[in-house]
Amino acid sequence: MSRDLPALRASHQDRDRIVETLQVAAADGRLTPEELEARLESALSARTLAELAELTTDLPSFASAVPTPKDVLVIDQRGGKYTRAGRWVVPRHIELRPKHCTVVLDFTEAVITADTLLIDAALRHGKLLIISPPGLVTLDTDDLTLVFSKVKQRSNGGGDATSPRLRIEITGTLKHASVVARPPRRRLFAT
């Protein structure tokens, strides 16, 4: 493949596509953190399409079919429970508008394609539960207004909290609501 594209210059969009492909491959366990870091550095400094193509030649072809995240996910549910878990593509922005509802965002197996997620919250009489392995995400709630509400972050230790893969910025207002961030529960029995 690299011989077909020796001198064609790479665009920012070409580099971004390869970066997303590498991040998905790392999330699937196909690249170690060290390999990911080295390849990301090479992708961001690549000048030609051939240089970019070399970074994914040992990855399966389906790894290059990177799912495209939505720009905005709107959650506007009344009552009950809304859950995003398993392998889901994390958008860049979530508008959170539920009432009398628990919203669960489980990042354990999520495909993270950006380094920041903005959550604009207008949560009333409900709960936002963020589930994440230690060191994967960090929360910024400095611009969140709390009215008879609370934010609670639980940790079980471990992970590298100094370099999380995803920064979640939560802004807006919580009224009679809560935000809880915790690690996944441990399974007692293998299934």
Side-chain angles (χ1 to χ4, degrees):
M1 179 177 185
S2 61
R3 291 180 187 159
D4 300 336
L5 312 168
L8 296 178
R9 300 290 254 179
S11 69
H12 292 304
Q13 189 175 21
D14 295 326
R15 288 183 201 89
D16 291 345
R17 183 177 42 80
I18 295 299
V19 165
E20 289 177 6
T21 299
L22 294 171
Q23 290 173 330
V24 169
D28 286 342
R30 297 182 193 285
L31 297 174
T32 66
E34 295 79 19
E35 290 172 317
L36 175 63
E37 184 177 337
R39 290 186 191 202
L40 288 176
E41 188 174 311
S42 296
L44 294 173
S45 64
R47 291 184 177 200
T48 67
L49 292 176
E51 292 171 348
L52 289 175
E54 288 296 320
L55 299 173
T56 59
T57 56
D58 62 341
L59 299 175
S61 60
F62 66 84
S64 63
V66 175
T68 304
K70 287 184 171 186
D71 286 332
V72 179
L73 170 64
V74 178
I75 302 172
D76 190 10
Q77 181 168 322
R78 303 296 183 247
K81 186 175 186 180
Y82 177 95
T83 302
R84 277 288 169 116
R87 191 164 169 81
W88 62 287
V89 180
V90 178
R92 300 184 194 298
H93 184 182
I94 295 177
E95 290 184 11
L96 196 59
R97 308 280 180 250
K99 292 181 182 173
H100 304 284
C101 179
T102 297
V103 175
V104 179
L105 301 177
D106 188 340
F107 293 93
T108 306
E109 298 176 29
V111 177
I112 300 170
T113 60
D115 58 357
T116 302
L117 166 62
L118 174 62
I119 299 178
D120 180 20
L123 181 60
R124 295 170 187 245
H125 301 282
K127 179 179 185 179
L128 170 59
L129 176 59
I130 297 172
I131 300 172
S132 163
L136 180 67
V137 303
T138 184
L139 283 183
D140 177 354
T141 58
D142 291 346
D143 295 326
L144 185 62
T145 302
L146 303 175
V147 179
F148 300 107
S149 299
K150 66 180 178 177
V151 174
K152 185 175 185 179
Q153 294 187 49
R154 299 181 197 163
S155 175
N156 66 356
D160 183 6
T162 60
S163 60
R165 288 195 40 223
L166 179 64
R167 181 171 193 256
I168 301 175
E169 297 177 12
I170 305 176
T171 62
T173 304
L174 269 59
K175 292 184 178 178
H176 302 279
S178 64
V179 173
V180 176
R182 68 163 176 81
R185 301 221 189 271
R186 295 182 185 152
R187 292 184 180 175
L188 296 177
F189 302 101
T191 55

